[in-house]
Amino acid sequence: MSRSLALFFISTLILAVACTSGGNLRFPEPRCTGDEREACLAAQTQIQPDDDICEGSQRRVCIAPLGRVDPDLVRHLAGHFRDEYGLSVYVLTPNAVPEDLPYSLGDQFDAFTMIEYMESLFPDAYRDHNAILIALTPVDLYDRDSHFRYVFGLKGSPDDPTAVISTSRMYPETYGERPDQDLFFARVRKLFSKYVGYMYYGLPLSDDPHSLMFDSILGPGDLDRMQEPLPVPGR
């Protein structure tokens, strides 16, 4: 069985478990849950911020690290979007994730509440529609308005350019595969690309599973099938 086909079956299984409340199947253990959760809430001290408040007059992308997110991943994303697309990308001051955020459910945090928390940290950037404000967090997220047990992230719109991405379930080892940093980085980068494509460039969402703008991401196999780069002029 090919690796992509295997991931399809794994993703389908995850979705089936996520959409049911019963059953004896064991849901994959994501990062930053259980005994790992508390350590993941602290601010990441190994990230050197570029900017405290994401200020400026030009269109720009600002990454807000919330919790102990992988510092190499943050540097990778900032460098990729600067080099590949020529964007102005700023890494903001890392912040901790409060343990008592509203609508927390077990080890999970509500994605929209996480965005609201980011907005409280950077209110000027939130009010500036030239700033694409994306939180990156290691903690597990769910959407209280969705029937799914988890989400990889949640995005706003071109008129409300804020989003959050969770890396908790992006790791290959969560799905029984060997650790692979390149694959992990690629999964996060593709979702980040989709949000940039939609909120920065105004690209339409797509039902093509190979497009970075694919709008029905249900598991890691969907991220793996999405093909870079974004279809934007001037690259």
Side-chain angles (χ1 to χ4, degrees):
M1 180 184 294
S2 69
R3 181 178 177 280
S4 60
L5 184 58
L7 276 174
F8 170 79
F9 284 120
I10 291 171
S11 300
T12 304
L13 175 61
I14 291 166
L15 178 60
V17 176
C19 293
T20 59
S21 59
N24 296 319
L25 293 173
R26 183 180 178 185
F27 200 75
E29 291 293 334
R31 292 286 184 92
C32 293
T33 59
D35 293 339
E36 294 183 0
R37 180 179 183 271
E38 184 175 354
C40 290
L41 303 181
Q44 177 55 268
T45 59
Q46 298 181 41
I47 294 175
Q48 181 64 40
D50 300 309
D51 196 332
D52 289 334
I53 57 175
C54 189
E55 66 179 350
S57 58
Q58 82 281 13
R59 292 277 283 171
R60 59 205 184 279
V61 176
C62 293
I63 303 173
L66 301 181
R68 196 166 289 170
V69 67
D70 186 331
D72 291 330
L73 172 65
V74 174
R75 287 187 282 267
H76 168 77
L77 291 173
H80 174 80
F81 286 91
R82 289 167 183 155
D83 297 341
E84 183 74 12
Y85 299 100
L87 302 183
S88 296
V89 182
Y90 300 96
V91 177
L92 304 181
T93 301
N95 284 272
V97 175
E99 188 168 1
D100 58 351
L101 276 182
Y103 300 104
S104 296
L105 185 64
D107 289 334
Q108 294 181 299
F109 292 87
D110 175 56
F112 185 72
T113 302
M114 191 71 74
I115 291 176
E116 290 184 320
Y117 171 58
M118 173 182 65
E119 293 168 357
S120 74
L121 296 171
F122 307 103
D124 292 336
Y126 168 64
R127 288 189 292 267
D128 184 353
H129 287 183
N130 281 324
I132 313 303
L133 194 58
I134 303 178
L136 197 64
T137 183
V139 302
D140 196 22
L141 298 179
Y142 83 105
D143 179 358
R144 68 178 186 265
D145 294 326
S146 168
H147 63 283
F148 293 116
R149 283 194 179 178
Y150 75 90
V151 292
F152 286 136
L154 188 69
K155 66 184 183 304
S157 67
D159 294 325
D160 178 23
T162 57
V164 61
I165 292 174
S166 166
T167 65
S168 175
R169 297 175 187 262
M170 301 274 197
Y171 292 89
E173 50 267 45
T174 298
Y175 307 96
E177 298 187 284
R178 63 177 179 81
D180 186 335
Q181 186 186 65
D182 290 341
L183 179 58
F184 167 59
F185 280 16
R187 288 173 174 172
V188 181
R189 187 177 65 242
K190 288 177 182 180
L191 189 58
F192 200 99
S193 295
K194 174 183 173 179
Y195 290 176
V196 168
Y198 183 60
M199 298 189 297
Y200 184 98
Y201 289 108
L203 296 176
L205 300 173
S206 172
D207 59 4
D208 177 1
H210 297 103
S211 169
L212 277 180
M213 302 307 297
F214 183 52
D215 199 35
S216 297
I217 299 171
L218 300 177
D222 294 315
L223 292 168
D224 295 342
R225 277 186 292 275
M226 294 160 62
Q227 297 178 2
E228 300 171 289
L230 285 168
V232 294
R235 285 188 53 259

